[in-house]
Structure formats: structure tokens, C-alpha cells
Amino acid sequence: MHGRVKVRTTEEERERRKKEQVLKMRAYRAAMTRIQKKRSAGELDDELLGLTVQILQRNPDISTLWNIRRECVLKKTGELQRALKELEATEAPEAPVAADKEEEEEEEEEKEDKGEADGKAGAGVAALAQQLQAIYTTELDLTEQCLMVNAKSYNSWHHRCWTLEQNPQADWQREVQLCNKYLRYDERNFHTWDYRRYVSAKAAVPAKRELDFCTEKIKVNFSNYSSWHHRSLLLPRLYPNEQHDRPMSEHKLQEELEMVLTAAFTDPDDSSAWFYQRWLLGSGAQERDQPVVVAAFRCWPHKAQLALKKPYPELAQLQVQLISEQQTWQLQPWQPANSEKTQWQCDQAINIDPSQDYVLALAGQRLKLSVQPSDKSLYYFVPPHATASCSKELLGELQTQLQSCLDLLEYEPYSKWTLLSSALLMRSIDVTGYHEQSLAHLAKLEQVDELRQGYYKDLALRWTMETALAKWPETSDYPQLFEMPTKIPRTRAPYVQYLIVADTVSS
């Protein structure tokens, strides 16, 4: 029928797409073959750059082509930079001072010639500098085109960073504005957020302005992991905690807890705000900043044992000193006592006098040791995750948040994020008082979230062991005897490195 568009059948459409795919594959193979031949021949010219553009604009995730472009760019910029140096070296030198009138006339002529030469040299330098910037601009324009095809292309973002690093006149403020543009298209693109952190540092953007930007993006969409993460990197810098046992100052922490609770209750099934709340309830950055954190230490007259909170394979390279009122011992060598390298042992004879005070010095830490007179040994012990400082105002906010979570659980008893967050809040308020109730929440989570049963079981073991270790110094048998909680099998016990202080561990 005339004037009516013919609709292809399913079979016809499939055949058409198959032919298009064949043609695209032939063109791709031909271009790649040509590119590899030119590269092998060392022909890193404009034709090679043009061939890579044809493919990258359709598929920006071919690392080989970006590497080839970098080779071409380095060759072209290297030639231009050498030409610039040669042009600067050929500038006419200063003419000597003339002694008579004839020499003065010659000097004037030389000045005119020199000025003309300098003008030409200056124009040449400007032209070469312009060509150099044109190369960098071409690469930046190409990455923008590729990011329009795939805004999450690792290769495109990396090449853009590389290009800017090569250019001494890079416009970092423009890159910040470019991030604003891309985040308007997709405010949750973590590639753009990573790039934003990079260019913001280069452009010296104030951290307060970045925090305000985060707040705007979170208000637009609470479910924004990248923005919450970016926020968590800024707050410790803007509002540091003097005791280093909280992520930020208590006043700001209270404000953040109020904001995140609003976000979490807007959509209780969304995990982004709950994850951020969990970070807020953490213990700060002190231990993350220190590569070596001592968990426990025990020293006898014939050997010493050291337990670390996290593995540190290079302990043998550090200086470990035992300092008394009259003498200093260099404890070495250290040998790992377990496969995780959280326990170390040093076999060395030490004359311990129980009447003196002793200090362990390691990686900037000076730890006061206690004396066990019965066997003339020294020991140091701090329970894992000791309770952080908490003002009345912050404690009140934590209790308010806990009550809000418990109220929500009355309406949504199977909300896994609310169950987990309420358990974490309990431990932030009172580890001992809420211990059984927090374990009950974990037991319920094993039923609600069956796919993560193992995680909740391991978390219950850790919390049970943490509580037992926290109570241990208050017992009459400390530090000679540690009684393992009945719920924890000896083979799966966490925090075993802390037990080097005990003479006996009973199951």
C-alpha cells in the first residue's frame, strides 16, 4: 500500500541486525589491523590517532588503544618541547657596550636586528605553546565524547587524569564544573565522585564547599552511596575529634545522626543511609592511621610476646624497646607466632625487677606495663573496641535513635537494616547492659536475612568475645586465667591474640 511504512517482521529484523553486526566487525578488524601495523612500524602519527578515535568513540573500554594514544601524545609533545628549548636557546645575546659614536651606531642597528629576532622568536614560542595546548585539548575533548557513550568507562576517566597531569596549564576549576555537569545527569556515578575528589584537591576547593555540595546531592536523593562516602571523608577533616575515638567532634556527630535517621526512615529498605549511620557509630580514624596498634604484650625473663590488633608483616623491621627506670632493652629479633602475623615472639633474656616501672616503646606508642610478681613477668592489655567517650547530649541522641528504631520495628518487625542498626546502637550506648538484647537481634537477623546467616553468626561470636574480654580485668583470676565463653568454640574464637596475657585459657 502506498504511503504506509512497511513494518519488518521479527525474522527480517534479526537478519538486518546480523548483517549490520558483520559489517561492524569487518570495519573493526580492519582498523585494528591497520593500527597494530603502524604501531609496530613506529608510525605514531596523526593517522594512527584518527584510527583510534573511530573505534574509541563506539567502544571506549579498549585499554590498548588508549595506551597507543598516550604513546602518540608523548612523542608529539616531546618534539614540541624540544623545539621550544631550541628556539629559546637561539635568542640573540646582549650586545657589548659601545666605546665611540661609530660603535654606538652599530649598536643601534644590532638592537633593531635583535628586537626583530626577539619578536620572531616570541611568535614562534607562542605558536609552539599553542600547538602543545591543542594536543591536550584534543585528548580532553575525546574523553568527553567517550564519557557520553559510557559515563562509567574506567579507561576514559584514567586517560583524562593522565592528560591533565601532562599539561602544566591544566584548568582544574573547569574540571570541577564538568563534575557538576555529569552529576546532574547521574548523581550516583561513583566514577564521577572519585574524579571529583581528585580534581577538587588539585583545584584547592575548600572542604566546606564540598560538604555543602554533598548535602545538596543527598537532599535530592537519599539513596546515594557515593555522596555519603564523600561526606565521610570530609567531616573528619572539618570537625576533628580530639580524643580520636569518634569519627568527628561530638557536636557535629549529633547533627549527622539526626540527619541520617531522617534519611533512613524515609526508606527503611534502602541501605545507603544505614551504612553511613554504621560508620558514624564507629570508633574513628585513630587505629586506621596507625599501621601498628598493640593489643596485648607479655614479657618473661626469657622471652616476650606481642599481639597486634591487625596484621603487620614488617614488624621485624621496627624498633621495639623495653624501658625501665635504669635500663633499655632492644627487643629483637621478632618471629611470627601465627599465620595471620598478629602474634609475634622474641626470645631474649631480660632481667625484670618487679619494684621498677616499665614502658614498651613501639612505633610512636609508649605503653605503661603492669607487673605480675608471681613469675616476674610484665603485661599490657586493653580490651578490643573499648567504650568511646560520650557526652550527655550525644548519649541522649543515641538513646533517642534507639527508641526510634525500636518503634519502627513494631510496625516493620522484619526490617533487617533496622534490626542491625538497633543492635549497633545498643552497643554504642551500653555494651554490657544491652549485650543479650543485641545478640537476640542478631539471632532474628539469621532468620530474616538467611543469605547472610554466616555473617550474623560471626558477628555474634565477636560481640560475645569482646564482652568477655571487657569483663576479664574485673575478675579475681586476671591475668592468670581467662574463661572462654561457652557459646564460642575454641577453634573459631576471634581475638585470640589478646589471650597471650593469660597463663591459662579454660574452655
Side-chain angles (χ1 to χ4, degrees):
M1 298 289 291
H2 294 286
R4 188 175 295 179
V5 178
K6 181 180 179 181
V7 180
R8 294 187 179 92
T9 64
T10 305
E11 189 63 34
E12 289 175 333
E13 181 67 16
R14 188 181 298 112
E15 189 65 27
R16 183 186 68 81
R17 290 182 178 178
K18 186 177 180 180
K19 289 180 180 179
E20 286 183 356
Q21 189 67 24
V22 170
L23 291 175
K24 288 180 180 179
M25 185 59 68
R26 287 176 181 172
Y28 169 77
R29 287 177 175 172
M32 287 298 291
T33 300
R34 178 65 177 158
I35 288 170
Q36 295 292 358
K37 285 183 178 179
K38 289 184 70 64
R39 187 192 193 188
S40 299
E43 299 175 8
L44 305 177
D45 52 20
D46 291 337
E47 181 189 357
L48 182 57
L49 288 171
L51 289 169
T52 61
V53 169
Q54 296 174 16
I55 300 177
L56 289 172
Q57 286 179 335
R58 291 172 175 80
N59 181 5
D61 294 317
I62 305 176
S63 302
T64 300
L65 297 185
W66 291 111
N67 290 335
I68 292 173
R69 287 196 70 85
R70 284 190 278 274
E71 291 176 2
C72 294
V73 169
L74 288 174
K75 180 183 178 183
K76 294 178 70 174
T77 55
E79 292 173 352
L80 288 173
Q81 289 167 353
R82 285 193 295 272
L84 274 170
K85 290 180 180 179
E86 291 175 1
L87 198 58
E88 292 170 353
T90 56
E91 290 183 359
E94 287 287 334
V97 179
D100 53 27
K101 186 175 181 180
E102 185 177 343
E103 289 181 354
E104 286 180 3
E105 292 177 356
E106 292 179 358
E107 180 185 354
E108 290 297 327
E109 291 179 1
E110 287 179 2
K111 285 183 179 180
E112 291 178 3
D113 294 341
K114 181 179 182 296
E116 185 177 349
D118 288 346
K120 291 180 180 180
V125 168
L128 290 175
Q130 191 173 2
Q131 291 178 38
L132 198 60
Q133 288 302 312
I135 294 173
Y136 298 132
T137 301
T138 299
E139 297 305 302
L140 294 176
D141 290 344
L142 176 61
T143 57
E144 283 194 53
Q145 296 168 18
C146 291
L147 289 170
M148 294 301 291
V149 176
N150 180 9
K152 296 183 178 181
S153 169
Y154 285 93
N155 291 292
S156 300
W157 287 113
H158 173 68
H159 189 74
R160 190 170 188 87
C161 293
W162 179 86
T163 302
L164 290 165
E165 290 289 349
Q166 300 299 311
N167 185 4
Q169 300 178 21
D171 187 351
W172 297 106
Q173 293 293 341
R174 179 183 179 277
E175 297 304 305
V176 175
Q177 296 304 316
L178 183 70
C179 291
N180 294 343
K181 172 184 172 182
Y182 280 119
L183 289 174
R184 282 195 293 270
Y185 297 145
D186 181 6
E187 69 272 4
R188 300 195 301 177
N189 186 346
F190 70 89
H191 296 267
T192 311
W193 282 100
D194 284 343
Y195 185 70
R196 184 183 184 87
R197 277 188 286 278
Y198 164 70
V199 297
S200 295
K202 292 288 187 179
V205 177
K208 183 64 172 63
R209 191 194 303 174
E210 282 296 287
L211 185 64
D212 293 339
F213 181 82
C214 279
T215 305
E216 292 175 8
K217 289 302 174 184
I218 289 171
K219 287 180 179 178
V220 172
N221 185 356
F222 284 135
S223 181
N224 191 336
Y225 285 91
S226 297
S227 187
W228 288 115
H229 174 64
H230 194 59
R231 193 176 188 85
S232 72
L233 298 176
L234 295 168
L235 286 167
R237 292 161 47 195
L238 287 168
Y239 305 95
N241 182 276
E242 294 181 0
Q243 287 76 31
H244 300 287
D245 56 0
R246 297 284 185 187
M248 66 199 76
S249 66
E250 288 201 354
H251 174 71
K252 188 61 180 178
L253 179 60
Q254 189 174 343
E255 293 180 2
E256 291 297 301
L257 285 167
E258 293 173 0
M259 182 181 75
V260 76
L261 187 66
T262 302
F265 274 46
T266 301
D267 184 4
D269 292 328
D270 183 78
S271 58
S272 57
W274 294 114
F275 270 116
Y276 183 68
Q277 186 198 52
R278 187 168 186 175
W279 173 76
L280 291 174
L281 298 174
S283 57
Q286 183 182 29
E287 292 184 6
R288 294 196 301 271
D289 296 339
Q290 294 180 347
V292 181
V293 181
V294 178
F297 176 76
R298 188 74 185 269
C299 181
W300 296 268
H302 61 285
K303 69 176 181 179
Q305 289 186 340
L306 180 67
L308 307 178
K309 289 190 176 182
K310 55 186 177 181
Y312 190 77
E314 292 81 20
L315 180 69
Q317 301 175 9
L318 296 181
Q319 186 181 56
V320 183
Q321 293 180 324
L322 179 63
I323 305 171
S324 70
E325 298 172 11
Q326 301 177 350
Q327 189 175 356
T328 297
W329 290 269
Q330 300 289 341
L331 300 182
Q332 60 180 354
W334 289 94
Q335 299 296 331
N338 63 354
S339 57
E340 293 82 10
K341 294 188 176 180
T342 55
Q343 291 180 234
W344 296 77
Q345 181 165 313
C346 173
D347 296 321
Q348 183 173 343
I350 301 170
N351 183 21
I352 298 176
D353 183 356
S355 63
Q356 293 190 29
D357 293 330
Y358 291 84
V359 171
L360 178 69
L362 166 64
Q365 303 170 75
R366 291 181 65 87
L367 309 174
K368 186 176 180 180
L369 304 180
S370 301
V371 179
Q372 180 62 28
S374 60
D375 59 356
K376 292 187 178 181
S377 66
L378 308 171
Y379 67 91
Y380 169 84
F381 173 81
V382 173
H385 302 293
T387 304
S389 61
C390 190
S391 64
K392 291 183 179 179
E393 293 78 10
L394 179 57
L395 181 60
E397 178 61 32
L398 293 173
Q399 290 171 337
T400 300
Q401 296 224 345
L402 174 59
Q403 188 58 51
S404 298
C405 287
L406 296 176
D407 292 342
L408 180 60
L409 285 172
E410 292 183 5
Y411 296 98
E412 298 189 30
Y414 302 109
S415 172
K416 73 171 186 178
W417 293 111
T418 313
L419 282 167
L420 182 58
S421 294
S422 59
L424 293 169
L425 283 163
M426 291 175 188
R427 294 185 63 78
S428 296
I429 295 169
D430 186 353
V431 173
T432 305
Y434 283 111
H435 179 62
E436 294 300 329
Q437 193 173 349
S438 61
L439 291 182
H441 278 228
L442 292 182
K444 189 172 182 179
L445 279 165
E446 292 180 29
Q447 301 172 0
V448 172
D449 190 12
E450 294 182 354
L451 292 177
R452 296 169 184 82
Q453 279 186 356
Y455 168 72
Y456 299 124
K457 288 179 180 178
D458 287 344
L459 194 58
L461 290 177
R462 293 180 69 85
W463 287 0
T464 301
M465 191 66 171
E466 287 174 12
T467 302
L469 289 169
K471 293 180 178 179
W472 185 29
E474 301 171 4
T475 63
S476 59
D477 296 325
Y478 174 80
Q480 291 91 349
L481 173 66
F482 177 79
E483 294 185 2
M484 188 74 70
T486 55
K487 297 180 181 179
I488 300 181
R490 184 71 177 271
T491 55
R492 293 185 57 198
Y495 300 115
V496 290
Q497 70 267 36
Y498 285 78
L499 302 181
I500 64 169
V501 176
D503 294 328
T504 306
V505 178
S506 65
S507 301

